[in-house]
Amino acid sequence: MVKEIGHFIGGKLVKGTSGRFADVFNPNTGEVQARVALASKAELRAAVENAKAAQPAWAAKNPQFRARVMMKFLELAAKHKEELAALISMEHGKTIPDAVAELREAVDFLRYYAVRARADFAKPMPLPGPTGERNQIQLHGRGVFACISPWNFPLAIFLGQVSAALAAGNAVIAKPAEQTP
C-alpha cells in the first residue's frame, strides 16, 4: 500500500480536499513511494489566511524565543538524520553521502538564522553617520513569505528560506518542489 501524504495548515494535517494526488517516484528504482495530496484553492486560501492571522503573534515573540524554536528543530533534524538522509536519497536520487551533506547544510542554515535572529532582531542597532546625528535601525518581520523549494536541494535550500523568514518574524507558506515533495 502506497502511503498518501497530506499537508499542514495551521499546524493541522489536511489530507487534501481536492481529491488530486501526485505520485512520488524513487528515481533509483522507478517505484511509487508515496502519493502527495495536492492542495485545493480553498486550502491555499485557508493557509494564506491562517499565516496572515498568525504572523503578528509570531513577530511579537522575542527573537530569543524564535531562535530557540529553530534550535529545537535543528535538534530534531539531528535526531532523525538517518531517516531524513534516506528520504532525500530515495526521493531525489542523491547518493547517501550527498544526502548527508544536504542535511548538514540544512542544519547549518537553521543554526545560522537562529544566531542572526538573536543578533539582528533583539534591539535597535546604531547607524553611525558622518555628521554626528544619532540614527538606529530596528529589524522586524514584514508579513507572510512564500518559500518554494528547488528540486535539486529539497531540504537544505528550502530550510534556508524558511528559517530566514521565521527568524525575522515572518509567517511562511512552504511549498515543496513537485519532484521532491
Side-chain angles (χ1 to χ4, degrees), residues 6 41 57 61 84 97 101 139 164 168:
K41 288 180 183 178
K61 296 284 186 196
L84 291 169
L139 304 175

Side-chain angles (χ1 to χ4, degrees), residues 102-120:
E102 177 157 354
L103 183 56
R104 286 183 180 146
E105 185 178 358
V107 165
D108 287 347
F109 275 129
L110 287 164
R111 185 176 293 111
Y112 175 79
Y113 286 114
V115 168
R116 297 296 358 130
R118 289 183 177 115
D120 297 339

Side-chain angles (χ1 to χ4, degrees), residues 130-174:
T131 60
E133 75 273 3
R134 185 178 162 190
N135 297 306
Q136 292 182 328
I137 185 170
Q138 185 165 6
L139 304 175
H140 56 87
R142 301 292 181 181
V144 177
F145 278 52
C147 297
I148 302 172
S149 92
W151 67 270
N152 55 338
F153 288 95
L155 184 65
I157 292 177
F158 196 35
L159 276 184
Q161 295 173 44
V162 171
S163 60
L166 292 174
N170 299 295
V172 172
I173 303 288

Side-chain angles (χ1 to χ4, degrees), residues 51-85:
K52 284 169 50 177
Q55 190 273 330
W58 177 250
K61 296 284 186 196
N62 181 303
Q64 305 300 328
F65 175 84
R66 295 195 306 258
R68 282 193 305 274
V69 168
M70 282 186 277
M71 293 304 290
K72 179 64 178 173
F73 188 73
L74 184 152
E75 290 170 18
L76 289 169
K79 181 178 177 183
H80 297 279
K81 65 184 175 215
E82 290 87 5
E83 292 171 66
L84 291 169

Side-chain angles (χ1 to χ4, degrees), residues 1-5 15 32-36:
M1 177 81 182
V2 174
K3 184 176 182 180
E4 289 187 352
I5 301 169
K15 289 291 186 180
V32 174
Q33 58 185 23
R35 297 184 72 222
V36 177

